[in-house]
Amino acid sequence: MAWKVGELSRLTGLTVRTLHHYERIGLLTPSGRTGGGHRLYDEDDVTRLYRIVALRELGLPLDAVGTALAGELDLADLLRSHLEHVGHQLTALRALHARLSTLVSAGRAPYGPDDLLALMDEVNTVEDTMRNYFSEEQIQALAERRAQLGPEAIAAAEREWPELIAKVQAELDAGTDPAEPRVQELAARWWELLEGFHGGDPGLRDGLYRMRDANSEQIQREYGGPSDALIAYVTRAREAAAD
């Protein structure tokens, strides 16, 4: 059997962009091509893709995934590890569901059942997403960091992000060299805001990057997050400043 990239995207839930990215970095190269040059993935490619997805969910960054795959991981062992990881996720989600169910049953005005059910759905989605990229200890560390920063600092950063993204986008659209001092100042502030999130913790930083990479289109569409081109531009500015 063989699948085109669009078919594989639809069946796995991964975006075509993600599959192309895996190919660019050498993680997953389609085994064939159609007469028209379209990518074709065979059964071995699907097995390898599962390994990539499972290792990512278990918390490995992409470079570590490549190293692990080079060691020919046993699929049965990986399935067991994946099962254990999903079990931990289910336990956490059941606990969250129980807490929210209690809240709904004891709800008081001005919150009606519809509001609370919508809140439950949203919180479940957020919690599930977070646990795909951060361990329980890291989620606790993020909560503690938010408490340390305080609501005013967090709100100020949330207001600044759209303004900063717009400024950097304007420089990119104008074709400004990323080595220009004003672009490097914007890039420096960009990294300062990111630092405010992860506090220099490499695990939190990697989780943030993995979450953004896997959900880039949704983040850009629903929250106005930066495009891949914009992130690459800011990265070049940072690299130019370091030279």
Side-chain angles (χ1 to χ4, degrees):
M1 296 182 65
W3 297 264
K4 294 181 180 179
V5 66
E7 295 171 330
L8 193 60
S9 170
R10 176 175 56 83
L11 291 169
T12 62
L14 299 170
T15 65
V16 171
R17 177 181 296 186
T18 296
L19 294 172
H20 286 174
H21 180 61
Y22 288 168
E23 181 179 354
R24 283 196 301 273
I25 63 177
L27 276 184
L28 180 69
T29 302
S31 296
R33 296 272 179 173
T34 66
H38 298 291
R39 296 169 176 83
L40 284 177
Y41 298 83
D42 64 13
E43 295 181 17
D44 288 339
D45 296 330
V46 170
T47 299
R48 184 176 177 87
L49 180 58
Y50 167 73
R51 295 175 189 268
I52 295 170
V53 170
L55 289 169
R56 291 284 279 163
E57 187 172 351
L58 291 172
L60 270 70
L62 283 177
D63 55 351
V65 169
T67 301
L69 289 175
E72 295 297 326
L73 284 174
D74 181 74
L75 184 57
D77 289 340
L78 183 56
L79 283 165
R80 282 190 287 271
S81 297
H82 196 178
L83 176 63
E84 182 179 357
H85 179 73
V86 171
H88 291 319
Q89 289 181 313
L90 287 173
T91 299
L93 286 174
R94 289 192 187 102
L96 175 62
H97 187 276
R99 287 197 299 270
L100 288 174
S101 295
T102 301
L103 177 62
V104 169
S105 64
R108 297 289 185 273
Y111 301 107
D114 289 343
D115 296 320
L116 291 173
L117 289 170
L119 174 64
M120 188 190 311
D121 180 63
E122 181 179 352
V123 171
N124 268 314
T125 300
V126 171
E127 291 279 342
D128 192 26
T129 299
M130 289 292 287
R131 284 183 169 83
N132 280 334
Y133 304 100
F134 302 99
S135 67
E136 293 295 331
E137 292 78 9
Q138 288 173 328
I139 291 175
Q140 180 61 36
L142 287 173
E144 293 174 356
R145 182 156 185 78
R146 288 180 67 88
Q148 292 171 357
L149 292 172
E152 293 183 3
I154 292 172
E158 290 175 346
R159 289 192 300 270
E160 185 178 355
W161 264 119
E163 300 173 0
L164 182 59
I165 289 173
K167 290 177 181 178
V168 178
Q169 185 68 57
E171 297 292 351
L172 174 60
D173 292 341
T176 308
D177 190 326
E180 283 289 329
R182 66 175 180 272
V183 179
Q184 293 191 1
E185 288 179 7
L186 293 172
R189 182 54 184 157
W190 184 295
W191 295 107
E192 286 175 3
L193 288 176
L194 288 178
E195 182 84 11
F197 174 87
H198 56 66
D201 184 296
L204 292 178
R205 182 176 61 243
D206 181 68
L208 172 64
Y209 292 167
R210 289 191 294 111
M211 183 167 65
R212 191 269 162 194
D213 288 344
N215 303 277
S216 60
E217 293 180 354
Q218 179 183 3
I219 292 172
Q220 187 176 354
R221 180 178 64 253
E222 298 183 9
Y223 305 104
S227 64
D228 292 342
L230 202 61
I231 292 176
Y233 182 66
V234 173
T235 302
R236 291 199 301 273
R238 187 188 191 197
E239 292 171 349
D243 290 341

